[in-house]
Amino acid sequence: MTPAAGGKVLVVGDVMTDIIVKPEGPLNRGSDRRAAIRSRPGGSGANQAVWLGAMGADVRFVARVGAEDRARLENYFRGFSVEPMLVADREHPSGVLVTIVDPDGERSFLTDRGANLELCTDDLPESLLDGVGLVVVSGYSFFAPGPRAAVRRLFALARSRDIKVAVDPASVGFLHEVGVGNFLDWTDGASILFANDAEALALSGYHDSVSQMAMLGQRFERVVIKRGALGAVIGTRDGINIDLPAPRVPVVDSTGAGDAFAAGFIAAQLRGADETACLKAGIAAGSEAVKVIGGQPVRVSGGS
């Protein structure tokens, strides 16, 4: 039910440049507001890959980027011990995301996915699966026809080779846009679903974790619901197996916290940890991620 300990992880998802804006207060429509503005590397798939590499996992990352950025980005990912398999797009720029961070740490996004929207089946040959024990797919890859066809084909190839697949819905807004039922059909049978509270509500129609688990467990082998400051739960169609709290930490920016959580969980799983240890590792990673601006670690911290 879990990938072999020490196996390679293949991450498929977006590469973005995150422009992070922290206004000092509410926006003044038609006028100025002082703000801290920073540029950081981002993208859900890229965040997961970098966190995994920083945690010592053997990780391969596939994405489509603007041709002028490929060499620079390849060097960046290698710096986090990630094997980059980046496809250069000569017609579209790399994606850009503007994140507006409220004083309480909550985020709103303005997204231009750029070259990410052009990901196609040719970018995901079956050879990418060689030596891989787990495929991790960002939900963003399901929100446009081209990338969706590509990752669904890869999903089928992985399952035909008994390779496990993990899915993170990534965006409540886009889930509603493409249709919750469609998303559930496209991802049905995945080994692990990583969903936050809002995504679990959207996908299940239920507000409580017990009902969410019972419903989503009909579709996925295991379900992990990330509950922010309340911690996280893991279970199956038979109910919640483990419910753990999160530590109290100062929230600077919640960007990428869910990606860090998934990476922490998966890295622990690859080390052969049990469900409780995996959930603890995910919560710890997510808690660290909210302490800094941006969705990726600042530097390699080594395996943990």
Side-chain angles (χ1 to χ4, degrees):
M1 188 165 178
T2 59
K8 185 184 291 291
V9 182
L10 172 63
V11 179
V12 181
D14 287 7
V15 172
M16 306 287 285
T17 296
D18 286 355
I19 307 299
I20 302 163
V21 181
K22 293 192 69 178
E24 290 184 353
L27 298 183
N28 290 328
R29 183 175 173 84
S31 188
D32 295 323
R33 170 63 72 186
R34 291 184 179 86
I37 302 175
R38 301 289 184 271
S39 176
R40 294 286 188 272
S44 181
N47 293 347
Q48 292 170 354
V50 168
W51 279 107
L52 280 164
M55 293 171 184
D58 185 0
V59 56
R60 174 181 295 160
F61 177 53
V62 185
R64 195 173 184 96
V65 300
E68 69 278 10
D69 297 325
R70 183 170 71 170
R72 173 182 60 82
L73 288 167
E74 286 176 338
N75 288 333
Y76 173 78
F77 287 115
R78 291 191 186 105
F80 285 91
S81 301
V82 174
E83 178 188 1
M85 306 291 286
L86 304 182
V87 180
D89 192 308
R90 300 194 178 279
E91 296 183 12
H92 302 87
S94 300
V96 178
L97 175 74
V98 177
T99 303
I100 300 174
V101 184
D102 293 336
D104 63 359
E106 190 53 77
R107 305 153 296 153
S108 300
F109 305 110
L110 298 171
T111 306
D112 179 352
R113 294 184 61 209
N116 295 295
L117 290 174
E118 306 305 315
L119 188 76
C120 64
T121 54
D122 288 345
D123 300 337
L124 301 178
E126 185 174 358
S127 59
L128 287 173
L129 297 172
D130 295 345
V132 167
L134 177 68
V135 177
V136 181
V137 180
S138 167
Y140 284 107
S141 298
F142 290 94
F143 298 145
R148 178 164 64 244
V151 296
R152 291 191 70 193
R153 175 180 175 273
L154 187 71
F155 186 109
L157 289 170
R159 295 190 68 185
S160 73
R161 295 172 59 163
D162 294 324
I163 297 171
K164 301 302 182 182
V165 178
V167 177
D168 189 321
S171 169
V172 170
F174 286 141
L175 277 177
H176 288 301
E177 186 176 294
V178 300
V180 167
N182 288 329
F183 184 85
L184 288 170
D185 288 341
W186 296 331
T187 58
D188 188 61
S191 309
I192 310 174
L193 174 74
F194 291 103
N196 63 27
D197 268 340
E199 293 156 359
L201 170 59
L203 290 170
S204 70
Y206 294 102
H207 287 270
D208 64 288
S209 297
V210 173
S211 299
Q212 291 169 354
M213 189 68 66
M215 186 277 175
L216 295 174
Q218 304 298 317
R219 296 276 193 166
F220 307 99
E221 290 182 29
R222 286 193 297 170
V223 176
V224 179
I225 301 175
K226 303 168 289 184
R227 305 176 64 212
L230 297 178
V233 299
I234 185 172
T236 66
R237 68 178 63 193
D238 296 323
I240 293 173
N241 295 338
I242 304 162
D243 183 344
L244 294 180
R248 284 190 172 187
V249 297
V251 177
V252 175
D253 175 16
S254 57
T255 302
D259 300 322
F261 177 105
F265 184 101
I266 291 167
Q269 179 176 271
L270 293 172
R271 295 193 299 269
D274 61 20
E275 280 193 341
T276 299
C278 289
L279 205 61
K280 286 181 179 178
I283 291 170
S287 298
E288 286 301 310
V290 302
K291 296 178 182 178
V292 297
I293 291 178
Q296 297 180 14
V298 175
R299 65 183 183 277
V300 177
S301 58
S304 60

